[in-house]
Amino acid sequence: MKEAKKYIIFPLDMPTYDEAMNYVELLGGCVGLFKVGLELFISQGPKILTSIRNVCDSGIFLDLKLHDIPVTVKRAFLAACQHGPDFVTVHCDEGGESLKSAAGSNPGNTKILAITVLTSLDRFKLKELGYEDKFAEDISVLALLKARIAKAAGCHGVVCSGHEVAMIKRELGNEMIAVTPGIRPAWSAVSHDDQKRIVTPAEAVLSGADYVVIGRPIRDAADPADAAKKVAEEIGAVL
Ligand code: C5P
């Protein structure tokens, strides 16, 4: 059984090398993976991945959320794989062909995760974007549709909210990895929160999440390492 702390993916949502590496040093022993997203990757480049590896043995989740025509996604994915991340993310919104072109060209052990529906989206925003009511009114229908496309394209898993993870696991099988952002422990208060479809760490894991992405509740805590330990304890209690 995976250790509780290994479920935690901590996003290094900060622009500078020093800030990011401070959190890596602080949390290296407390989380399973560090998520390097667009802000840090664009500002620091691939060297940040080497620096993380030099400090700890946590995994690397390269959250590039690739979204472009299939050939561009494939080439960007191959370029990302050269840095040996454990995971790279690709958007579902271009359809199966982009996902397939990345999955079919995978040169190593990097796993491809498909982004289904961002947890910052709610029914109002989906309607604004032109989605039919059957998707906007029940986001899980949309998330499942996208997860099916991801599985058929050969992706290893999906990123989805804690509200959809049980259904996706049930329909697509337990081997489909589910990463769940939008995590808010009962004790955390994030001001001006942009996450809409939230769950607690325990709820996510009980629903079948293989990993939880949890940022601000840890990053902005008075003692981030202690906050990460509390999240791990909460997960450990339901394993
Ligand atoms: O816990 P918090 O809201 O601070 O986490 C923010 C992080 O979650 C960001 O790095 C963002 O990219 C990520 N995220 C994600 N997928 C979503 C929503 C947020 O990876 N659907």
Side-chain angles (χ1 to χ4, degrees), residues 8-14 19-20 23-24 27 31 33-40 52 61 63 65 181-182 184 195 212-220:
I8 303 175
I9 300 177
F10 179 75
L12 294 165
D13 288 333
M14 44 212 70
E19 274 176 287
Y23 277 97
V24 171
L27 298 174
V31 303
L33 295 105
F34 286 104
K35 180 166 97 68
V36 175
L38 292 173
E39 183 183 14
L40 188 60
I52 296 170
F61 186 105
D63 190 21
K65 295 191 171 76
R184 293 291 175 262
Q195 298 281 21
V212 294
V213 176
I214 174 159
R216 283 163 286 184
I218 293 176
R219 187 192 70 188
D220 299 342

Side-chain angles (χ1 to χ4, degrees), residues 75-192:
R75 293 173 69 95
F77 175 72
L78 285 173
C81 285
Q82 286 177 7
H83 306 295
D86 297 278
F87 296 99
V88 170
T89 53
V90 180
H91 256 288
C92 280
D93 284 349
E94 218 283 322
E97 211 190 319
S98 263
L99 299 170
K100 217 183 276 176
S101 67
S105 65
N106 198 343
N109 295 324
T110 298
K111 293 191 166 62
I112 306 179
L113 298 179
I115 306 290
T116 57
V117 184
L118 293 174
T119 45
S120 52
L121 288 171
D122 59 15
R123 64 193 171 106
F124 302 109
K125 288 194 188 166
L126 287 174
K127 279 188 183 172
E128 207 176 278
L129 288 167
Y131 279 90
E132 286 175 43
D133 279 358
K134 72 173 174 187
F135 296 126
E137 294 297 340
D138 187 353
I139 295 177
S140 59
V141 176
L142 183 60
L144 183 60
L145 175 82
K146 293 189 182 195
R148 280 210 178 98
I149 292 170
K151 185 173 181 185
C155 294
H156 298 90
V158 291
V159 180
C160 64
S161 94
H163 296 283
E164 294 116 33
V165 63
M167 187 174 70
I168 287 174
K169 287 277 185 172
R170 198 168 51 240
E171 297 281 328
L172 302 183
N174 203 38
E175 67 287 354
M176 196 71 181
I177 298 169
V179 174
T180 302
I183 302 295
R184 293 291 175 262
W187 44 264
S188 80
V190 173
S191 58
H192 308 299

Side-chain angles (χ1 to χ4, degrees), residues 30-66:
C30 312
V31 303
L33 295 105
F34 286 104
K35 180 166 97 68
V36 175
L38 292 173
E39 183 183 14
L40 188 60
F41 199 67
I42 289 170
S43 60
Q44 299 304 319
K47 72 173 190 290
I48 192 74
L49 308 184
T50 311
S51 300
I52 296 170
R53 284 202 192 93
N54 287 341
V55 170
C56 64
D57 60 5
S58 302
I60 292 179
F61 186 105
L62 189 53
D63 190 21
L64 298 180
K65 295 191 171 76
L66 300 173

